[in-house]
Every structure is written in structure tokens, then in C-alpha cells.
Amino acid sequence: MKFGLCRTVFALFIGCALRYRGGMKLIIDTDPGIDDAMAIAYSAAAAELDLIGLTTVFGNTHVHQSSRNARYLVHKLGLDVPVAQGAAQGWQGEQHAPSTHVHGPEGFGDVTDIPEIGQNHAQGAAEFLVEQARLHRGQLVVCAIGPLTNIADAIRLDPGFVQNLAKLVIMGGAVFCNGNVTEHAEANIYHDPLAADAVFEARAPTVLVGLDVTLQTLFAARDFDALADQAPDTGGFLREISRFYLNFYREVAGLEGCGLHDSTAVIACSHEHLFETQATGLRVIQQGDERGATRPDADRPPVRVCRGIDVGQVMSLFTDRVGSLP
Ligand code: BDR
Ligand code: CA
């Protein structure tokens, strides 16, 4: 009898342990996207991150392609998380033209035969974000690595959304450096400057991981080769989709390597100590040549803008962890 009880308690304990993966609850809002795929792979390998869902947005691709690619990554990485589809265009209502010259026609460079696996979550991205933030009040980190439309939609849906977050980490902006889509603007902010401005006004506990730091994390062809040796399946796939991206960096920016933009933001979720931040209010220029520029504004609520980065540590974290995957 006593032994039977022990066995039941043990079975319950093991069941809970298997279901519970400790760590920081994380939702990645994403437009995969080559460097998005790298960031999602990193999140799958990082034990301190408990990825509970992906929300998708237009940006590098049309939103239906972002969702298909996200579902493919979930399957490939052996994750068991929902993919909730979000915005197809920005708040200004402009028809969106995907960044095919950077990320290829389907978002994964020269790889175009990406299968449709599974289905999107029944809830849309904003509804999912709002619900999960309520459910995990004070514990949820949202990492936005695409245009900020879904985040702004969540704030519009529930003005208390940002107060429920432990942290909002944004890959976007070029506060003290030049942009990448224009001289003044970084791509994620440029694609929906109105939503970005609304997010910067919202008093969220924000960390901004912009080009100020992400362009220091250049990942070269030989780094992809090493990753593919260590992790033939995941690393091999990332190497394959990245050829197109590396060519873009070489031809357009004259750089032998691509920025680990989105992975750096995911790393900042749990390793903010590897960054030097400066509290700065921000506003976003909406029109004209400077559209999408992120400008310091002392009248706005402060966000923690990353200005310095421990490049070596960030890059080793990425390589070691993604390298540990199959
Ligand atoms: C950002 O824009 C996109 O092209 C990348 O995926 C990244 O999120 C870099 O400016
Ligand atoms: Ca992205």
C-alpha cells in the first residue's frame, strides 16, 4: 500500500517534470526571415528560455509566409508551441512589399519549397499576446523581431498589456548609428513607424536592441560552416538559407558576414548584463526622407537602448547553443 502511494507520487512528479520546462516564459513576435530562423533556433537551444509561442507579422515576407515558415521551424526544431498569425500590413494601411532582395522570395533565401505544416492558432497574434500576458502576469518576456504592429495592436486591445510584461525586448532602430533600409531607418521600424511610435509611448519595460549593437555581431560563411559541422541538421539548414543573405551583405554593404540581429535580441532577453544600456525616450519620424528614424526625445518615457555589447560572449552563446542542437 505504502509502496503503491510512493509510486503514484513519483509518477505524478515525473509527469509534472516532463510537462514543465523551467525558465523565462517567452513569446517571439517574428517575420521569418533568415535571421529570425536563427533566433528561433537559439531559443529552442537555450535552457533558461521557455518558449510558449510564436506570433507572426508581415515584414521580411507576407504574413502568410511568415506563419508557414514559423510552423516549419517549430516542426524542424521539435518544438511544441502555437503559431498565432498577426498583422498583414502596418498601421498606415500601405500595401506591404516584402524584403525579397534580403531574405529571398519565400523568406528563406534560395530555399523555396517550404512545406505547409500544421495550422495557425485559433487566436490572432494580438489576442494571444494579451491573453498570455494576463496568464503569466509579471513573468512573460515578449521579444519582437519584426515590425511592431502586433505589439501595438495588443496595446490597443488591452491598455494594461505592457504592465503585465516582465520585459519587452525589441530588435529595431538605429538610435546612434545609420539605418539599414535607408540612411536613417532600420527595417523593422521603417515598415510600421506609426506602430513603433505607439509602442515607444506605452511605458513598457523596453530594451531596444538596434543596429547600434547588432551590426557588431557579424556571422561569416566560415561560422555557418562550423555550425553545420557541429549541428548537421539545424546548422546545415541555417547555412543553406543564409547563402542568399550573405550575398546581400557582401554586395550591398560590402560586409563578409551577416548581423545576428534577431538572435542578439533573444539573447538580451536573458543576458541583458552582456549589454550596456542608456535610458532614452524615443520618437519615430513618420514621413519624408527620415521616415522610420528613431530619435531621442526627452519628453518620452525612457527605454533601455543598447549602446554597447560583449560581442565575444554573445557570439559564443549563439554558436555553442545552436551548435548543441541536432
Ligand atoms: C531586422 O530586419 C529584418 O530584415 C531582420 O529580420 C531583422 O529583424 C534587421 O534590421
Ligand atoms: Ca526579423
Side-chain angles (χ1 to χ4, degrees), residues 31 35-36 60 103 145 171 180 186-188 211 245 261-262:
D31 58 339
D35 61 325
D36 299 72
N60 296 326
H103 293 267
I145 57 176
M171 190 287 126
N180 56 0
E186 182 279 330
N188 289 340
L211 300 180
Y245 201 43
H261 302 292
D262 293 344

Side-chain angles (χ1 to χ4, degrees), residues 175-189:
V175 182
F176 303 103
C177 67
N178 282 349
N180 56 0
V181 69
T182 69
E183 187 193 336
H184 302 281
E186 182 279 330
N188 289 340
I189 305 297

